[in-house]
Amino acid sequence: MGRKWLGTWSPGFETLPGDPVTVIEYATTSQFRVMADPTCSIDDDDTRLRLPLFKPVNFDILPSSPPISISTNPRSTISCSVVTVTPVTFANSKLQTLTAEFNSISEPIDRVKRLIQYASQLPQLDDSVRVPANRVMGCMAQVWLDVRMDLDEMMRVLADSDSEITKGFCSCLISVLDGATPEEVLGMKTEDLGDLNVAGLHGTKVDSRVNT
Amino acid sequence: MSIEGVVLKLPSFSQLINPNRTPLKFPFNFPNSSSSSSYSSATASLSVPAAAPVSLGHSTRPDFEILYQKVNNGSKLVYLDNAATSQKPSAVIDAVNNYYKSYNSNVHRGIHFLSAKATDEYEMARRKVASFVNAPESSEIVFTRNATEAINLVAYSWGLSNLKAGDEIVVTIAEHHSSIVPWQILSEKTGAVLKFVSLTEDEVPDIKVLQDLLSKKTKLVAVHHVSNVLASVLPIKDIAQWAHDVGARILVDACQSVPHMVVDVQDLGVDFLVASSHKMCGPTGIGFLYGKSELLTAMPPFLGGGEMISDVFLDHSTYAEPPSRFEAGTPAIGEAIGLGTAIDYLSQIGMQKIHDYEVELANYLYENLHAIPGVRIYGPAPSETVHRAALCSFNVEGLHPTDIATFLDQQHGVAIRSGHHCAQPLHRYLGINASARASLYFYNTKEDVDDFIRALEDTIAFFTSFK
């Protein structure tokens, strides 16, 4: 596909009009990772990356995404909330958001409630996915996991469980990993996901003896 | 140091200040003669009420300090996972401590003072075990790490030298994995065939099917005494008779029976019997195999090393007599002594008394649990003729047992188990993936059951509110 990694883009970037830009990766409220096709020109100066202007088309706005400010020429800024983007999101930051969310809930019972709400957001898995080949072994509850790579080389994750709490964990996992790049998924370690245990349910999946 | 005379045993102070505790009772206890016992005493002065019947749960509870704690969000602990492991009375903890503090030394090896004392206490523990199960000789008691190791010992030592291709081993579908997997391994090695007895509609092993499965080909019958999931009790005396009639041996997994009732190996007529210390108020890391003398004497060693030998040469060794032959290496000395103390403690109460109390608790648990809508309990219903053990494995419609156990623990401090309880074939047979299990011991009370039932109702209401 010929994507090129250009660097981190902060608000106030300067661009030159005319050239197309392909992808914006939304990371935090103030930083973007930007990729563009090889036809764009790159300035040697790190702080002033000259970016071709993209043709604004469509951008999937999440309820929590801030408006994106993009400069189109050295002297003006357009507040743009409509941008073409392939569904690549920064898995680690999503994990941090999730962890922060659970950390902010002080009562364990409210954490359980939140988990069950997450569980209810999961789509009902087709019976064809709830098969032994998809079982995650070693869990007290039954967990089915379906992981594929989609056409854009992003990971697509489906999961289900017969336990509501475990289903909630699955839902959290999916919210972090679904749509991530393979590298991001590989880069995540079990310890990172251990932050999810802040849900106040100490190591239910991780520590329980397989044969209980 | 032993204390003579009657001691007025007062409840612990936490019992006094906790309004949720039952009314104060003043049990009288004769101290046992083991090394030391600690008695908790209240600092307030109290008058002795008129003698009211004290439940065994209330009178023994003060011996178990661990039960008086708060867990998670400040709930008091309600420990209902006794089939997994039991709590230990102070006497047992003190005995193990005292061993390490005063006379820790390797056994059977030295002649110095400490070594002699350690050996004495260790062998005394063996005699206590023998007497507890009414084995004719203490040499018929082999100390192992636990019941699982004991079964493996029989499988490797007796099994490998006695079974051949085509021989049959009969077990039930409700056995614990420790009495399925070793036989599977043995079958693979020898070509013997493993046969499983299914359940009746009442969810107990079908002894008619068992009888039909027995034949001249049967060499071993391996069954549980009390089921850790179904709470059912098997007629071991009859089964032993039927096994012997066809020339087979019988091994009994007594893990859930020895801690809870009188078990007499001579009366039952069994060839092998196994149990674990940690389920009967003793420490982990020690268990035992009872084996008839003539069987043990003919069995080759299990593990090789020190202790189990007679003479060692370069090209061969000769082996010791049982039980040493099967006790390679330095044993869990302190733990064995702890087990001996646990046996003293239980004997002091009386196994019949423990059993009678637990039958009462078992019925109370079953009735109250059964009354909750949507609850399905596995195993037979209790009746005049059917006594259940004091445990219930159950499921609640629409809820996963893991969710139930998690919520019970987190919100109510109630400790139960969820999973397959080391009985996957049984769960598969019953058509379920997992179950929850509450299991009691003599230091539990009816109030514990009440707490559990209330907590379970709250749990069900919580999860149902999301549907």
Side-chain angles (χ1 to χ4, degrees):
Chain A
M1 279 179 91
R3 288 211 188 111
K4 224 176 351 185
W5 170 248
L6 295 182
T8 307
W9 183 21
S10 296
F13 245 148
E14 295 181 0
T15 61
L16 291 178
D19 303 316
V21 142
T22 312
V23 173
I24 290 183
E25 218 172 276
Y26 164 58
T28 65
T29 56
S30 60
Q31 287 194 321
F32 302 89
R33 294 202 298 186
V34 184
M35 297 185 188
D37 65 37
T39 57
C40 70
S41 66
I42 305 167
D43 204 287
D44 282 338
D45 187 340
D46 282 350
T47 61
R48 258 188 36 157
L49 206 64
R50 285 170 192 274
L51 221 63
L53 176 67
F54 50 86
K55 300 187 190 76
V57 186
N58 281 317
F59 181 60
D60 286 339
I61 293 286
L62 304 171
S64 49
S65 26
I68 299 154
S69 204
I70 301 148
S71 15
T72 55
N73 64 54
R75 271 172 291 284
S76 73
T77 334
I78 295 175
S79 206
C80 174
S81 60
V82 182
V83 169
T84 309
V85 70
T86 59
V88 174
T89 40
F90 211 20
N92 269 325
S93 71
K94 285 208 271 186
L95 179 60
Q96 278 165 29
T97 311
L98 189 67
T99 310
E101 179 186 3
F102 275 99
N103 266 331
S104 71
I105 306 174
S106 54
E107 285 298 319
I109 192 174
D110 293 327
R111 287 188 199 144
V112 178
K113 283 185 188 165
R114 190 74 191 92
L115 260 187
I116 298 182
Q117 277 165 2
Y118 265 104
S120 63
Q121 285 168 16
L122 267 194
Q124 177 68 28
L125 264 198
D126 201 38
D127 277 344
S128 64
V129 188
R130 290 168 76 120
V131 290
N134 283 341
R135 275 284 303 276
V136 178
M137 300 313 295
C139 291
M140 288 205 297
Q142 291 187 101
V143 176
W144 297 273
L145 198 64
D146 183 272
V147 183
R148 294 153 201 247
M149 199 183 285
D150 67 11
L151 295 171
D152 293 323
E153 293 172 10
M154 298 304 156
M155 306 311 298
R156 288 283 154 214
V157 185
L158 293 175
D160 197 0
S161 175
D162 53 356
S163 149
E164 281 305 296
I165 294 177
T166 308
K167 201 165 158 181
F169 279 125
C170 288
S171 184
C172 289
L173 209 66
I174 288 175
S175 76
V176 169
L177 292 179
D178 188 49
T181 62
E183 293 78 23
E184 285 180 307
V185 175
L186 287 170
M188 287 210 133
K189 296 189 272 304
T190 320
E191 299 88 70
D192 303 328
L193 300 174
D195 286 340
L196 290 187
N197 279 341
V198 299
L201 305 165
H202 9 260
T204 21
K205 261 172 81 167
V206 179
D207 296 343
S208 56
R209 207 168 64 158
V210 173
N211 56 357
T212 49
Chain B
M1 211 165 76
S2 65
I3 309 162
E4 298 299 326
V6 175
V7 172
L8 177 64
K9 187 166 167 168
L10 301 171
S12 70
F13 191 55
S14 60
Q15 214 180 10
L16 291 173
I17 60 176
N18 189 336
N20 293 331
R21 291 267 149 215
T22 53
L24 297 171
K25 310 283 180 197
F26 292 87
F28 289 79
N29 259 6
F30 289 86
N32 55 43
S33 59
S34 64
S35 337
S36 69
S37 311
S38 62
Y39 296 94
S40 51
S41 57
T43 54
S45 63
L46 307 139
S47 56
V48 182
V54 181
S55 87
L56 193 56
H58 291 114
S59 65
T60 53
R61 202 175 187 83
D63 298 330
F64 300 86
E65 214 178 285
I66 195 171
L67 296 174
Y68 292 89
Q69 60 182 278
K70 295 211 177 348
V71 294
N72 291 333
N73 67 346
S75 312
K76 70 171 196 249
L77 169 68
V78 181
Y79 185 76
L80 305 179
D81 195 18
N82 293 287
T85 200
S86 62
Q87 301 302 344
K88 327 298 168 199
S90 328
V92 168
I93 301 171
D94 291 345
V96 178
N97 273 345
N98 189 43
Y99 160 74
Y100 283 113
K101 277 203 285 212
S102 320
Y103 59 96
N104 168 60
S105 198
N106 211 326
V107 294
H108 303 141
R109 283 166 172 77
I111 57 165
H112 55 79
F113 177 76
L114 289 187
S115 169
K117 178 151 168 102
T119 303
D120 278 346
E121 294 290 333
Y122 180 74
E123 290 305 326
M124 166 107 83
R126 191 193 305 277
R127 284 196 292 281
K128 286 177 182 173
V129 173
S131 153
F132 194 63
V133 297
N134 197 27
E137 307 277 343
S138 67
S139 58
E140 290 177 317
I141 301 294
V142 175
F143 278 128
T144 60
R145 202 169 51 136
N146 46 32
T148 301
E149 190 176 86
I151 296 176
N152 277 276
L153 198 170
V154 173
Y156 279 91
S157 176
W158 179 88
L160 281 181
S161 52
N162 281 280
L163 295 196
K164 56 188 188 308
D167 285 343
E168 291 179 358
I169 305 170
V170 174
V171 300
T172 78
I173 200 107
E175 293 309 311
H176 187 280
H177 294 163
S178 65
S179 194
I180 296 180
V181 182
W183 311 127
Q184 287 173 336
I185 296 175
L186 179 61
S187 299
E188 254 177 82
K189 288 189 195 288
T190 57
V193 176
L194 200 44
K195 300 241 157 180
F196 289 89
V197 175
S198 50
L199 306 185
T200 64
E201 270 169 17
D202 294 328
E203 290 173 356
V204 294
D206 194 333
I207 53 180
K208 295 243 167 7
V209 169
L210 190 153
Q211 277 186 283
D212 289 340
L213 279 181
L214 296 179
S215 73
K216 286 267 174 309
K217 290 199 214 166
T218 315
K219 290 292 173 282
L220 181 70
V221 177
V223 289
H224 59 272
H225 194 170
V226 172
S227 168
N228 71 323
V229 175
L230 304 170
S232 52
V233 184
L234 283 177
I236 296 296
K237 204 162 164 176
D238 294 338
I239 299 175
Q241 188 58 60
W242 302 330
H244 293 149
D245 286 345
V246 296
R249 297 291 177 188
I250 175 169
L251 178 144
V252 172
D253 171 3
C255 284
Q256 300 291 343
S257 62
V258 166
H260 300 280
M261 56 201 257
V262 176
V263 172
D264 183 333
V265 297
Q266 292 190 68
D267 179 59
L268 294 175
V270 298
D271 299 296
F272 297 110
L273 182 134
V274 305
S276 288
S277 151
H278 71 93
K279 292 195 159 100
M280 50 190 285
C281 288
T284 47
I286 189 100
F288 66 90
L289 164 72
Y290 157 78
K292 279 187 178 156
S293 266
E294 66 264 26
L295 288 174
L296 292 181
T297 313
M299 279 158 60
F302 175 36
L303 299 173
E307 186 65 45
M308 48 74 70
I309 43 88
S310 182
D311 290 307
V312 180
F313 302 96
L314 290 185
D315 59 348
H316 77 286
S317 292
T318 57
Y319 303 119
E321 289 304 301
S324 301
R325 187 186 301 172
F326 307 105
E327 295 182 359
T330 300
I333 306 165
E335 284 72 13
I337 294 171
L339 171 59
T341 308
I343 287 175
D344 288 338
Y345 180 86
L346 294 173
S347 303
Q348 183 193 313
I349 301 171
M351 293 315 294
Q352 192 56 50
K353 189 164 169 199
I354 288 179
H355 179 65
D356 294 340
Y357 176 63
E358 287 190 15
V359 168
E360 223 183 281
L361 268 190
N363 289 334
Y364 192 70
L365 172 65
Y366 188 92
E367 275 152 24
N368 280 283
L369 189 55
H370 191 63
I372 300 179
V375 169
R376 155 82 153 105
I377 305 176
Y378 303 102
S383 69
E384 280 302 310
T385 45
V386 176
H387 282 174
R388 284 180 60 104
L391 63 91
C392 283
S393 302
F394 64 96
N395 264 306
V396 178
E397 211 178 303
L399 289 192
H400 195 279
T402 309
D403 293 345
I404 298 174
T406 306
F407 194 85
L408 279 176
D409 166 57
Q410 205 188 67
Q411 292 302 122
H412 297 280
V414 173
I416 65 166
R417 185 150 286 256
S418 75
H420 47 70
H421 320 302
C422 294
Q424 281 186 32
L426 176 60
H427 279 72
R428 215 170 281 123
Y429 180 92
L430 292 171
I432 54 178
N433 281 304
S435 60
R437 180 187 69 188
S439 50
L440 312 175
Y441 206 5
F442 62 86
Y443 42 72
N444 286 120
T445 59
K446 284 192 173 156
E447 285 77 11
D448 287 337
V449 178
D450 293 336
D451 287 342
F452 164 60
I453 298 292
R454 253 195 308 269
L456 182 61
E457 285 169 338
D458 184 46
T459 305
I460 296 173
F462 175 84
F463 282 102
T464 314
S465 69
F466 287 96
K467 298 210 195 280

